[in-house]
Amino acid sequence: MYSIRQSGVFLVDIQLKKGILDVCVLHAISRGESYGYKIISDLEGIIEISESTLYPILKRLETGGFVTTRTAEYSGRLRRYYKISNLGLKKLKSGRDDLLEINAIYKKLFGGRI
């Protein structure tokens, strides 16, 4: 099974989910500088993502040059903030285009019905 709708949120098969998580995270960051917990909160109701899934994605995006980071103290603790780079914006647009293409295929196969 590829997806199940539960309480208004789609629970997606892990292989499909891996293909769209970068796009979701980049989209959340594209709205402005953000940090881990806020990214998870921003994606709530759209896609389920845990901290143990998010932080490796953020590290991979940082290593790839898709996001930049800075560290700042917040309530006596260090917090890492993420900001999308120009390369990240290009990746986000490409990912969006891919999702639109997948959506078009879905509509042709299933007539837009689940």
Side-chain angles (χ1 to χ4, degrees):
M1 181 171 287
Y2 290 104
S3 67
I4 301 170
R5 189 174 178 119
Q6 180 179 345
S7 302
V9 176
F10 283 99
L11 304 176
V12 182
D13 176 79
I14 191 67
Q15 292 302 320
L16 292 174
K17 195 173 186 179
K18 286 173 89 170
I20 62 170
L21 282 174
D22 285 3
V23 174
C24 291
V25 171
L26 286 170
H27 174 73
I29 296 170
S30 73
R31 297 172 154 183
E33 188 177 63
S34 196
Y35 54 94
Y37 181 77
K38 183 170 183 334
I39 294 168
I40 291 171
S41 296
D42 289 346
L43 294 176
E44 191 174 317
I46 298 168
I47 194 163
E48 291 185 24
I49 187 169
S50 65
E51 288 181 31
S52 62
T53 301
L54 176 64
Y55 287 105
I57 292 168
L58 289 169
K59 183 65 176 168
R60 186 176 67 249
L61 291 172
E62 180 183 11
T63 300
F66 302 110
V67 299
T68 58
T69 62
R70 72 174 179 90
T71 303
E73 189 175 326
Y74 178 82
S75 296
R77 296 178 41 197
L78 290 179
R79 178 184 279 174
R80 182 171 284 215
Y81 292 89
Y82 299 87
K83 183 177 179 183
I84 195 165
S85 67
N86 287 334
L87 188 59
L89 288 170
K90 289 177 185 175
K91 182 175 178 71
L92 177 59
K93 184 191 178 318
S94 174
R96 179 183 176 274
D97 292 345
D98 290 345
L99 289 173
L100 288 171
E101 186 175 337
I102 290 168
N103 188 47
I105 293 168
Y106 171 82
K107 285 180 179 181
K108 286 180 182 179
L109 287 174
F110 301 107
R113 293 181 297 277
I114 295 179

